[in-house]
Amino acid sequence: MKKHIIIILFLVVVSICKAQNFTVQNDKILDPTGQEFIIKGTNVNGPHWPWNRPTIPDADLIINTWKFNTVRVNCVPSLKNTFPNNNPNFEAIVSAFTPRRVVVQLENHDFTGKYPEGAELENLKTWWIDLANRFKSNPYVWFNIMNEPGNGPKVDERWKTTHETIVKAIRATGANNIIVLDEHGFGQASGLRDGTTNSGILTYAEYFTKNYQNICFSVHMYSEWIYGQNRLAKLFEEAKNRKFSVHIGEYGSSNGYAKSIAAQMFSLLLKWKVGNIVWHWDGTDAHALTQNTARGGAWEIDPKDGTIPRNLSFVGNLIWKYNRDELKPNSPDFELKALWMLNGSFEKNFDEWINWGNAEVEKNSTNAKDGNNNVKVASAAAGGGCGQPIYLTPGETYVVQAWGKNSIVPTGTTDLGVQYKDASGKTQFEVLNFTETNYVQKRKEFTLPQGISDVSIFIWKNDKNVSFFADNIELFLKKEEVILANSLLEDVQIEVYPNPTTGIIVLKGNDLQQFDFHVTNLAGQEISVKVVHISTDKVQIQLPELPDATYFISGNAKGQRFVRKVLMRK
């Protein structure tokens, strides 16, 4: 009897000791209480990150309002002298979160797309040894060694050897904190299209889990993962069968293709219970968790009292409900809507576009149809153009339309349109052909088959002697199209300026105080605006931060109605 009691007491002590840390057990992470821990996280600004919004004051919003249990702290040690005052204090950030049982995942952003060697590798090792010594007694601090290491379609042994050098150095300090290894190829592994060929995780996972404790892996999901739901499900299945832990360390939240990736990802997370960390809390870049706000940041929610905000973006809404266990499979929250492409007016230069050669954005150009900019594919070389990866829903009917012109009549045509691979892998095209030398707008409707992949919108010039100019490229669902007159009704005389606008519109006419004003996008969705009545015959409409696109202002009063098209061009 005494022997049994001793054995039981020993097991209890062992269990308590193990429970003092997070532990990785096969494909799961257990928290210090022994419960399964599923990451619900966001990337935040850290030491010397270029964006200067302080992270610590947002801790209550992050933890209590958004219900995140993990922050991935973006650090750029090489920019210490460039941004010395941007969230510089590791201890302060850790102290703001970990006492509240929120994981702080520290990461190094210096080697995105590469592997450090020589002095760079030694500097990285020194940096991690310092942090390991400082935080080895805090199990809520995790170490994400390198953000998105390596590039190219095939992983090589450097993914293993570089990570192992740092893992050994961290473990030599006595730190048993969880260590996160990012996937090869800018974190995406080419979307795992070729299995283990481009995956450091699938190639080396067992090596690390057998030789080191508390190792888990992270995949980042951007354009390589469009139409990647089956590939992601296969990764989760591999992790379960091969007993390694993987989570999504970054995924986009912009209003283009990123929302389709997020929707497919969350539909799988509900089944597989895999962790995720969104990019990004701050909102400075194109990724946005709120809409009609200054920066699209998660901190700009309205209201901030924990009730569902009125201004969540598509991805922001998915996260809000997922973090509260309110997101349900096949709910309307997963229904994708416009926008289907971004920056079709090139007012944001080449943002979202890929230059395939000889393409440039002309700024303050006389070739701009509206606004200041347009795209030009220059002469003096055969071929050339640009493209943008997009997501379109199989089985739906879309409309692509654009303005285009050639510098001279081309041999053949200059083409603009949508291309995709069908279920057999054959590339199909829905094309607008331009031969004209004056600006013309062309339009095409097309219905997509099932089983498509690798969709993009493209411009391609064939004649080397021709320069091609394009502007105001638009893509939308046929059923979302709102057909509105661009001219006024005869009995309402209204002047609208400036048009294009950067965000402030003035309407001038008689008795404007009697009108109700509304602003909608091409999909018919109403935009929240501020209306200021300057006088009885002049009204100012203040638009929120909006993508460059076409919008409609309508006014209604006593049976009178007018509609005006305005262009947002920042």
Side-chain angles (χ1 to χ4, degrees), residues 531-561:
V531 178
V532 179
H533 290 268
I534 300 173
S535 64
T536 58
D537 63 353
K538 187 180 290 187
V539 169
Q540 183 187 83
I541 295 181
Q542 300 175 7
L543 300 175
E545 187 76 13
L546 292 171
D548 288 355
T550 299
Y551 298 89
F552 295 95
I553 297 177
S554 61
N556 296 277
K558 298 179 181 179
Q560 293 181 310
R561 183 171 185 264

mmCIF file of all heavy atoms in Angstrom, residues 531-561:
data_model
loop_
_atom_site.group_PDB
_atom_site.id
_atom_site.type_symbol
_atom_site.label_atom_id
_atom_site.label_comp_id
_atom_site.label_asym_id
_atom_site.label_seq_id
_atom_site.Cartn_x
_atom_site.Cartn_y
_atom_site.Cartn_z
ATOM 1 N N VAL A 531 -21.881 63.851 -43.858
ATOM 2 C CA VAL A 531 -22.480 64.872 -44.711
ATOM 3 C C VAL A 531 -22.501 66.190 -43.939
ATOM 4 O O VAL A 531 -23.049 66.266 -42.830
ATOM 5 C CB VAL A 531 -23.904 64.479 -45.138
ATOM 6 C CG1 VAL A 531 -24.528 65.580 -45.994
ATOM 7 C CG2 VAL A 531 -23.890 63.159 -45.904
ATOM 8 N N VAL A 532 -21.909 67.231 -44.533
ATOM 9 C CA VAL A 532 -21.859 68.559 -43.916
ATOM 10 C C VAL A 532 -22.613 69.531 -44.813
ATOM 11 O O VAL A 532 -22.239 69.748 -45.975
ATOM 12 C CB VAL A 532 -20.405 69.031 -43.722
ATOM 13 C CG1 VAL A 532 -20.384 70.428 -43.097
ATOM 14 C CG2 VAL A 532 -19.625 68.044 -42.858
ATOM 15 N N HIS A 533 -23.681 70.134 -44.305
ATOM 16 C CA HIS A 533 -24.458 71.117 -45.064
ATOM 17 C C HIS A 533 -23.789 72.484 -44.898
ATOM 18 O O HIS A 533 -23.940 73.144 -43.868
ATOM 19 C CB HIS A 533 -25.910 71.145 -44.582
ATOM 20 C CG HIS A 533 -26.677 69.927 -44.952
ATOM 21 N ND1 HIS A 533 -27.416 69.831 -46.111
ATOM 22 C CD2 HIS A 533 -26.797 68.724 -44.327
ATOM 23 C CE1 HIS A 533 -27.987 68.642 -46.185
ATOM 24 N NE2 HIS A 533 -27.625 67.935 -45.113
ATOM 25 N N ILE A 534 -23.079 72.901 -45.924
ATOM 26 C CA ILE A 534 -22.368 74.175 -45.872
ATOM 27 C C ILE A 534 -23.350 75.336 -46.012
ATOM 28 O O ILE A 534 -23.241 76.358 -45.335
ATOM 29 C CB ILE A 534 -21.298 74.224 -46.975
ATOM 30 C CG1 ILE A 534 -20.290 73.071 -46.767
ATOM 31 C CG2 ILE A 534 -20.577 75.572 -46.985
ATOM 32 C CD1 ILE A 534 -19.296 72.927 -47.893
ATOM 33 N N SER A 535 -24.311 75.184 -46.912
ATOM 34 C CA SER A 535 -25.356 76.185 -47.119
ATOM 35 C C SER A 535 -26.546 75.490 -47.753
ATOM 36 O O SER A 535 -26.519 74.268 -47.972
ATOM 37 C CB SER A 535 -24.848 77.327 -48.014
ATOM 38 O OG SER A 535 -24.548 76.835 -49.320
ATOM 39 N N THR A 536 -27.583 76.239 -48.092
ATOM 40 C CA THR A 536 -28.760 75.610 -48.697
ATOM 41 C C THR A 536 -28.463 75.044 -50.080
ATOM 42 O O THR A 536 -29.161 74.140 -50.546
ATOM 43 C CB THR A 536 -29.918 76.623 -48.817
ATOM 44 O OG1 THR A 536 -29.484 77.734 -49.604
ATOM 45 C CG2 THR A 536 -30.363 77.092 -47.440
ATOM 46 N N ASP A 537 -27.411 75.563 -50.726
ATOM 47 C CA ASP A 537 -27.103 75.095 -52.080
ATOM 48 C C ASP A 537 -25.753 74.415 -52.195
ATOM 49 O O ASP A 537 -25.249 74.182 -53.291
ATOM 50 C CB ASP A 537 -27.180 76.256 -53.081
ATOM 51 C CG ASP A 537 -26.153 77.338 -52.786
ATOM 52 O OD1 ASP A 537 -25.476 77.258 -51.740
ATOM 53 O OD2 ASP A 537 -26.029 78.268 -53.613
ATOM 54 N N LYS A 538 -25.144 74.091 -51.045
ATOM 55 C CA LYS A 538 -23.837 73.436 -51.108
ATOM 56 C C LYS A 538 -23.706 72.440 -49.962
ATOM 57 O O LYS A 538 -23.983 72.761 -48.802
ATOM 58 C CB LYS A 538 -22.712 74.468 -51.039
ATOM 59 C CG LYS A 538 -21.318 73.855 -51.278
ATOM 60 C CD LYS A 538 -20.215 74.914 -51.205
ATOM 61 C CE LYS A 538 -20.281 75.855 -52.395
ATOM 62 N NZ LYS A 538 -19.105 76.786 -52.395
ATOM 63 N N VAL A 539 -23.273 71.212 -50.306
ATOM 64 C CA VAL A 539 -23.088 70.133 -49.336
ATOM 65 C C VAL A 539 -21.708 69.516 -49.537
ATOM 66 O O VAL A 539 -21.270 69.326 -50.685
ATOM 67 C CB VAL A 539 -24.172 69.043 -49.498
ATOM 68 C CG1 VAL A 539 -23.829 67.802 -48.674
ATOM 69 C CG2 VAL A 539 -25.533 69.578 -49.092
ATOM 70 N N GLN A 540 -21.044 69.211 -48.441
ATOM 71 C CA GLN A 540 -19.762 68.508 -48.502
ATOM 72 C C GLN A 540 -19.960 67.080 -47.986
ATOM 73 O O GLN A 540 -20.553 66.871 -46.920
ATOM 74 C CB GLN A 540 -18.707 69.212 -47.648
ATOM 75 C CG GLN A 540 -17.328 68.571 -47.731
ATOM 76 C CD GLN A 540 -16.350 69.198 -46.745
ATOM 77 O OE1 GLN A 540 -16.320 68.844 -45.563
ATOM 78 N NE2 GLN A 540 -15.552 70.140 -47.234
ATOM 79 N N ILE A 541 -19.476 66.111 -48.764
ATOM 80 C CA ILE A 541 -19.523 64.704 -48.347
ATOM 81 C C ILE A 541 -18.092 64.239 -48.102
ATOM 82 O O ILE A 541 -17.241 64.327 -48.993
ATOM 83 C CB ILE A 541 -20.204 63.825 -49.406
ATOM 84 C CG1 ILE A 541 -21.679 64.230 -49.543
ATOM 85 C CG2 ILE A 541 -20.088 62.345 -49.047
ATOM 86 C CD1 ILE A 541 -22.463 63.418 -50.548
ATOM 87 N N GLN A 542 -17.857 63.782 -46.890
ATOM 88 C CA GLN A 542 -16.524 63.323 -46.493
ATOM 89 C C GLN A 542 -16.502 61.796 -46.518
ATOM 90 O O GLN A 542 -17.185 61.140 -45.730
ATOM 91 C CB GLN A 542 -16.168 63.844 -45.102
ATOM 92 C CG GLN A 542 -16.162 65.371 -45.009
ATOM 93 C CD GLN A 542 -15.931 65.886 -43.609
ATOM 94 O OE1 GLN A 542 -15.641 65.115 -42.685
ATOM 95 N NE2 GLN A 542 -16.062 67.199 -43.425
ATOM 96 N N LEU A 543 -15.729 61.254 -47.448
ATOM 97 C CA LEU A 543 -15.625 59.800 -47.598
ATOM 98 C C LEU A 543 -14.594 59.249 -46.625
ATOM 99 O O LEU A 543 -13.599 59.913 -46.324
ATOM 100 C CB LEU A 543 -15.218 59.441 -49.026
ATOM 101 C CG LEU A 543 -16.172 59.900 -50.137
ATOM 102 C CD1 LEU A 543 -15.558 59.579 -51.492
ATOM 103 C CD2 LEU A 543 -17.524 59.231 -49.994
ATOM 104 N N PRO A 544 -14.787 58.027 -46.146
ATOM 105 C CA PRO A 544 -13.764 57.382 -45.315
ATOM 106 C C PRO A 544 -12.608 56.902 -46.181
ATOM 107 O O PRO A 544 -12.593 57.092 -47.401
ATOM 108 C CB PRO A 544 -14.508 56.203 -44.694
ATOM 109 C CG PRO A 544 -15.538 55.860 -45.718
ATOM 110 C CD PRO A 544 -15.964 57.162 -46.348
ATOM 111 N N GLU A 545 -11.638 56.274 -45.562
ATOM 112 C CA GLU A 545 -10.526 55.676 -46.309
ATOM 113 C C GLU A 545 -11.085 54.538 -47.159
ATOM 114 O O GLU A 545 -11.625 53.557 -46.648
ATOM 115 C CB GLU A 545 -9.476 55.129 -45.341
ATOM 116 C CG GLU A 545 -8.215 54.630 -45.998
ATOM 117 C CD GLU A 545 -7.301 55.746 -46.457
ATOM 118 O OE1 GLU A 545 -7.519 56.902 -46.065
ATOM 119 O OE2 GLU A 545 -6.368 55.455 -47.222
ATOM 120 N N LEU A 546 -10.977 54.679 -48.485
ATOM 121 C CA LEU A 546 -11.562 53.706 -49.405
ATOM 122 C C LEU A 546 -10.555 53.310 -50.467
ATOM 123 O O LEU A 546 -9.662 54.098 -50.814
ATOM 124 C CB LEU A 546 -12.788 54.311 -50.105
ATOM 125 C CG LEU A 546 -14.025 54.602 -49.246
ATOM 126 C CD1 LEU A 546 -15.036 55.402 -50.052
ATOM 127 C CD2 LEU A 546 -14.653 53.306 -48.746
ATOM 128 N N PRO A 547 -10.699 52.104 -51.020
ATOM 129 C CA PRO A 547 -9.850 51.730 -52.153
ATOM 130 C C PRO A 547 -10.159 52.591 -53.365
ATOM 131 O O PRO A 547 -11.281 53.079 -53.534
ATOM 132 C CB PRO A 547 -10.232 50.253 -52.403
ATOM 133 C CG PRO A 547 -10.982 49.811 -51.200
ATOM 134 C CD PRO A 547 -11.604 51.024 -50.606
ATOM 135 N N ASP A 548 -9.174 52.776 -54.212
ATOM 136 C CA ASP A 548 -9.411 53.471 -55.470
ATOM 137 C C ASP A 548 -10.388 52.646 -56.302
ATOM 138 O O ASP A 548 -10.122 51.484 -56.624
ATOM 139 C CB ASP A 548 -8.098 53.640 -56.237
ATOM 140 C CG ASP A 548 -7.185 54.661 -55.592
ATOM 141 O OD1 ASP A 548 -7.614 55.295 -54.616
ATOM 142 O OD2 ASP A 548 -6.050 54.823 -56.057
ATOM 143 N N ALA A 549 -11.522 53.251 -56.652
ATOM 144 C CA ALA A 549 -12.556 52.528 -57.396
ATOM 145 C C ALA A 549 -13.649 53.515 -57.782
ATOM 146 O O ALA A 549 -13.547 54.719 -57.528
ATOM 147 C CB ALA A 549 -13.130 51.382 -56.559
ATOM 148 N N THR A 550 -14.703 52.997 -58.400
ATOM 149 C CA THR A 550 -15.863 53.795 -58.778
ATOM 150 C C THR A 550 -16.928 53.705 -57.683
ATOM 151 O O THR A 550 -17.218 52.622 -57.173
ATOM 152 C CB THR A 550 -16.446 53.287 -60.109
ATOM 153 O OG1 THR A 550 -15.453 53.408 -61.127
ATOM 154 C CG2 THR A 550 -17.677 54.086 -60.507
ATOM 155 N N TYR A 551 -17.508 54.836 -57.332
ATOM 156 C CA TYR A 551 -18.570 54.899 -56.329
ATOM 157 C C TYR A 551 -19.719 55.747 -56.882
ATOM 158 O O TYR A 551 -19.548 56.503 -57.844
ATOM 159 C CB TYR A 551 -18.048 55.488 -55.016
ATOM 160 C CG TYR A 551 -16.950 54.643 -54.406
ATOM 161 C CD1 TYR A 551 -15.619 54.864 -54.746
ATOM 162 C CD2 TYR A 551 -17.238 53.605 -53.526
ATOM 163 C CE1 TYR A 551 -14.604 54.076 -54.222
ATOM 164 C CE2 TYR A 551 -16.234 52.817 -52.994
ATOM 165 C CZ TYR A 551 -14.922 53.049 -53.347
ATOM 166 O OH TYR A 551 -13.935 52.261 -52.831
ATOM 167 N N PHE A 552 -20.906 55.609 -56.276
ATOM 168 C CA PHE A 552 -22.078 56.346 -56.724
ATOM 169 C C PHE A 552 -22.655 57.151 -55.564
ATOM 170 O O PHE A 552 -22.864 56.621 -54.470
ATOM 171 C CB PHE A 552 -23.139 55.390 -57.268
ATOM 172 C CG PHE A 552 -22.706 54.657 -58.505
ATOM 173 C CD1 PHE A 552 -22.154 53.391 -58.423
ATOM 174 C CD2 PHE A 552 -22.832 55.247 -59.754
ATOM 175 C CE1 PHE A 552 -21.745 52.721 -59.558
ATOM 176 C CE2 PHE A 552 -22.430 54.587 -60.895
ATOM 177 C CZ PHE A 552 -21.873 53.324 -60.800
ATOM 178 N N ILE A 553 -22.899 58.438 -55.823
ATOM 179 C CA ILE A 553 -23.584 59.306 -54.870
ATOM 180 C C ILE A 553 -25.008 59.494 -55.359
ATOM 181 O O ILE A 553 -25.243 59.851 -56.522
ATOM 182 C CB ILE A 553 -22.892 60.672 -54.758
ATOM 183 C CG1 ILE A 553 -21.470 60.503 -54.215
ATOM 184 C CG2 ILE A 553 -23.684 61.607 -53.846
ATOM 185 C CD1 ILE A 553 -20.699 61.810 -54.138
ATOM 186 N N SER A 554 -25.961 59.228 -54.496
ATOM 187 C CA SER A 554 -27.363 59.417 -54.865
ATOM 188 C C SER A 554 -28.028 60.347 -53.858
ATOM 189 O O SER A 554 -27.639 60.405 -52.685
ATOM 190 C CB SER A 554 -28.103 58.074 -54.912
ATOM 191 O OG SER A 554 -28.092 57.449 -53.650
ATOM 192 N N GLY A 555 -29.018 61.080 -54.355
ATOM 193 C CA GLY A 555 -29.802 61.958 -53.494
ATOM 194 C C GLY A 555 -31.274 61.753 -53.749
ATOM 195 O O GLY A 555 -31.712 61.566 -54.903
ATOM 196 N N ASN A 556 -32.081 61.771 -52.698
ATOM 197 C CA ASN A 556 -33.519 61.559 -52.811
ATOM 198 C C ASN A 556 -34.268 62.627 -52.014
ATOM 199 O O ASN A 556 -33.894 62.921 -50.866
ATOM 200 C CB ASN A 556 -33.909 60.170 -52.279
ATOM 201 C CG ASN A 556 -33.317 59.039 -53.097
ATOM 202 O OD1 ASN A 556 -33.854 58.652 -54.118
ATOM 203 N ND2 ASN A 556 -32.182 58.518 -52.644
ATOM 204 N N ALA A 557 -35.315 63.183 -52.633
ATOM 205 C CA ALA A 557 -36.124 64.180 -51.936
ATOM 206 C C ALA A 557 -37.440 64.387 -52.673
ATOM 207 O O ALA A 557 -37.438 64.760 -53.848
ATOM 208 C CB ALA A 557 -35.371 65.500 -51.819
ATOM 209 N N LYS A 558 -38.581 64.126 -51.998
ATOM 210 C CA LYS A 558 -39.912 64.460 -52.528
ATOM 211 C C LYS A 558 -40.098 64.000 -53.978
ATOM 212 O O LYS A 558 -40.514 64.764 -54.849
ATOM 213 C CB LYS A 558 -40.149 65.961 -52.421
ATOM 214 C CG LYS A 558 -40.137 66.478 -50.998
ATOM 215 C CD LYS A 558 -40.343 67.983 -50.967
ATOM 216 C CE LYS A 558 -40.294 68.496 -49.530
ATOM 217 N NZ LYS A 558 -40.465 69.971 -49.473
ATOM 218 N N GLY A 559 -39.737 62.757 -54.244
ATOM 219 C CA GLY A 559 -39.923 62.212 -55.575
ATOM 220 C C GLY A 559 -38.817 62.531 -56.549
ATOM 221 O O GLY A 559 -38.811 62.024 -57.670
ATOM 222 N N GLN A 560 -37.898 63.382 -56.171
ATOM 223 C CA GLN A 560 -36.757 63.687 -57.017
ATOM 224 C C GLN A 560 -35.588 62.780 -56.650
ATOM 225 O O GLN A 560 -35.420 62.415 -55.486
ATOM 226 C CB GLN A 560 -36.336 65.149 -56.844
ATOM 227 C CG GLN A 560 -37.340 66.153 -57.346
ATOM 228 C CD GLN A 560 -36.835 67.571 -57.163
ATOM 229 O OE1 GLN A 560 -36.390 67.930 -56.083
ATOM 230 N NE2 GLN A 560 -36.897 68.368 -58.217
ATOM 231 N N ARG A 561 -34.808 62.450 -57.645
ATOM 232 C CA ARG A 561 -33.656 61.573 -57.389
ATOM 233 C C ARG A 561 -32.570 61.873 -58.403
ATOM 234 O O ARG A 561 -32.851 62.136 -59.574
ATOM 235 C CB ARG A 561 -34.047 60.096 -57.503
ATOM 236 C CG ARG A 561 -32.905 59.127 -57.182
ATOM 237 C CD ARG A 561 -33.415 57.696 -57.098
ATOM 238 N NE ARG A 561 -32.375 56.788 -56.673
ATOM 239 C CZ ARG A 561 -31.617 56.064 -57.501
ATOM 240 N NH1 ARG A 561 -31.806 56.161 -58.818
ATOM 241 N NH2 ARG A 561 -30.698 55.260 -57.042
#
